[in-house]
Amino acid sequence: MPNIDASQWNPDTAAYLLLRAGFGHDGKYSKRYGEASLARKLSRMEPEAAVDFLLNISVPSPTPMGPGLFTSRAGLESLQAWWLQRMLDTRTAVLEKIVLLLHTHFATAYSRVNKTIYMARQNALFRQFALGDFRELVKQINIDPAMLWWLDGQYNTRTSPNENYARELMELFTLGVYDFAGQKNYSQNDVKEAARMLSGWRIREDANANLVEGYFTMSRHDRNAKTLFAPDPEETPLQNPNNRYVEPANSSDVALATDEHRRLIDAIFNHRDTEGRPTVARFIARKAWKFYAYDPEVDAGTSRADLPVIDELADVFQQSGYNLKALLRALFLRQEFYDGRGRTVKSPVEYVIGSIRMLHGRRLKLDRFTTEDTLITLANDGNGGRGGMAQMGQRLFDPPDVFSWKGNRFWITSHTWLNRLEFAKRLCWYSKGSLSSSPIRPNKFVSKQDTTRAQVVDRLLRLLGMAQADTETREALIAFLGPADPIRPLERTFLETRVAPLIQLMLSLPHYQVH
């Protein structure tokens, strides 16, 4: 299927791009045209120009925050709040969505690392490479302090090899256990050999945490020769024999031994599956497609219906030198990307940040719920944990395990669903007779020209990305606004008792939980 063309490009498709590439539009709404202003701006460009506009991002310096914020557990809350604020900012939302992808991919949890500065530096590393060289990012992840701690790399020595990181490097970060023909990409012996290549790395930091880094110790490194990806008759008899890589012994060359982990990554990126395709490119293209578009059924032993689009994206990725920006540009231009609406449940981050952004939530004191003068508290932990993202199943910087969050339909349980409803209520709450007490202002999305209930409903459906809602749902929403037309759309009572509750209801609809 070809890329989306100009005839299919309109404010609705542009709004969908903003929803998936970032966290939705910025809440600035054109009452005259009945649509988000940024979506309208993008729709007047050619699709290629619109995607380039979104991906033309200035990447900030690597260190996100000062070291003083990392001296206690409160430092993690500060780091979470800092990241959420960047997601809310239109200038950085698309970049932060990529950082979120990388955080879910290289899942590392604060609950085990227990050092906020390590998590902050890893987050900064993701941001540094978010639009750049994925191969180089993996090389940096090898010796990242948070990852060295998380998967026991600091304990991997020549006398006591630790295979934890080597296994996840291949299984979850680069190759996948099986290729798309159902054959194993690596064997247990490959894990052992990779662990030997990664031995000798440790973590150091100074007293004030101004310096945190992985460093190499030659005496802890296995200097003997290693062989990777040789076909194993017991495990990988069909593996492409061209994958075989031999790392020679380096008994005294410190520089050669220090860079051994980098040559390991080059060997992995040179890996070809049993169909002769670049394994890493296929694996990462599929991961990006699953995160941004929908979950294709291309795992081993399942349908290969979506494999053509995965391979076309993989080709772009490989030919670009594994550049993430090139991969995402190709992905956001695919017609299949826009045809995949409604197939994936929003993550808590996407649900919460998207709602605040698209409703142009304001920073103010929510006296009934918190003393903090910020929407971040509402988003991050709610009131005593009610209605916050952690209670919806996603605590940033703390995925449940190395497999990360399961995602999609696993986001919805009886507990997490109730917390989504609680968040919707809290976001739309107002003190009777005072709309200024609400985080959102419903009058911003209603025009004095709206004389019918249907006009109000259609505006809000488009605003929240549900313009394609079914007729039955639309009619029920119209009825919610009252028994008859005409209406007085800007009358305070109507805004407080009809429009604000209508927005809360829309945020609670099953239709709104997916994108």
Side-chain angles (χ1 to χ4, degrees), residues 67-352:
L69 292 173
F70 309 132
T71 56
S72 68
R73 186 174 179 83
L76 177 65
E77 297 168 0
S78 298
L79 182 60
Q80 290 169 327
W82 178 86
W83 193 12
L84 290 171
Q85 189 57 56
R86 288 187 62 86
M87 293 178 187
L88 287 171
D89 191 330
T90 297
R91 295 168 298 179
T92 52
V94 173
L95 177 63
E96 300 312 315
K97 189 68 170 284
I98 307 172
V99 176
L100 181 61
L101 164 64
L102 295 172
H103 175 44
T104 61
H105 182 69
F106 296 103
T108 308
Y110 173 81
S111 56
R112 187 168 193 271
V113 174
N114 206 32
K115 288 184 180 257
T116 309
I117 188 171
Y118 289 12
M119 304 304 296
R121 296 299 169 91
Q122 186 185 80
N123 184 266
L125 183 65
F126 294 154
R127 191 168 292 103
Q128 180 183 354
F129 287 96
L131 296 166
D133 186 344
F134 183 76
R135 185 200 301 241
E136 182 60 30
L137 172 59
V138 180
K139 292 177 179 179
Q140 296 290 330
I141 284 292
N142 283 346
I143 59 174
D144 168 65
M147 188 62 75
L148 285 170
W149 192 295
W150 170 235
L151 289 177
D152 302 313
Q154 63 177 330
Y155 304 119
N156 181 16
T157 70
R158 62 182 177 83
T159 58
S160 181
N162 188 294
E163 300 170 6
N164 287 351
Y165 176 71
R167 178 173 290 102
E168 308 310 348
L169 171 65
M170 295 185 189
E171 177 180 352
L172 300 176
F173 302 159
T174 55
L175 298 174
V177 178
Y178 298 99
D179 67 16
F180 294 115
Q183 301 300 322
K184 276 194 170 184
N185 284 319
Y186 61 90
S187 68
Q188 173 58 25
N189 187 65
D190 295 326
V191 172
K192 292 179 178 179
E193 296 295 276
R196 294 173 59 212
M197 293 182 73
L198 292 160
S199 60
W201 286 90
R202 306 174 72 182
I203 305 168
R204 65 182 166 202
E205 59 181 279
D206 65 15
N208 297 316
N210 291 314
L211 172 70
V212 178
E213 65 179 5
Y215 73 100
F216 183 74
T217 305
M218 186 67 163
S219 62
R220 294 163 62 97
H221 178 66
D222 186 331
R223 310 178 195 183
N224 297 308
K226 300 97 176 172
T227 301
L228 280 168
F229 303 134
D232 183 335
E234 295 184 2
E235 287 195 69
T236 59
L238 300 179
Q239 187 175 166
N240 190 333
N242 293 328
N243 291 330
R244 186 173 184 270
Y245 171 80
V246 176
E247 175 69 21
N250 43 44
S251 58
S252 60
D253 191 327
V254 176
L256 195 64
T258 304
D259 283 344
E260 193 168 321
H261 77 97
R262 298 178 63 86
R263 293 191 294 278
L264 166 64
I265 300 307
D266 288 335
I268 288 174
F269 272 69
N270 288 333
H271 190 283
R272 295 295 182 270
D273 63 22
T274 55
E275 296 177 321
R277 300 288 299 174
T279 314
V280 174
R282 266 185 160 183
F283 184 74
I284 300 302
R286 180 191 186 275
K287 193 72 174 278
W289 188 256
K290 176 180 178 180
F291 183 84
Y292 282 104
Y294 57 85
D295 191 359
E297 296 179 332
V298 291
D299 267 334
T302 62
S303 169
R304 294 163 62 91
D306 291 293
L307 191 53
V309 67
I310 298 299
D311 275 345
E312 289 185 33
L313 294 175
D315 287 342
V316 171
F317 192 35
Q318 183 199 17
Q319 292 163 12
S320 70
Y322 293 96
N323 181 273
L324 287 167
K325 183 175 182 178
L327 171 62
L328 295 181
R329 183 183 189 276
L331 191 157
F332 295 147
L333 288 172
R334 295 291 303 196
Q335 178 62 52
E336 297 94 333
F337 171 75
Y338 298 90
D339 292 340
R341 300 189 191 200
R343 296 180 63 173
T344 304
V345 177
K346 294 175 182 176
S347 69
V349 174
E350 291 170 325
Y351 174 74
V352 168

Side-chain angles (χ1 to χ4, degrees), residues 396-407:
L396 289 178
F397 297 101
D398 205 21
D401 51 43
V402 74
F403 296 99
S404 194
W405 297 280
K406 291 183 178 179

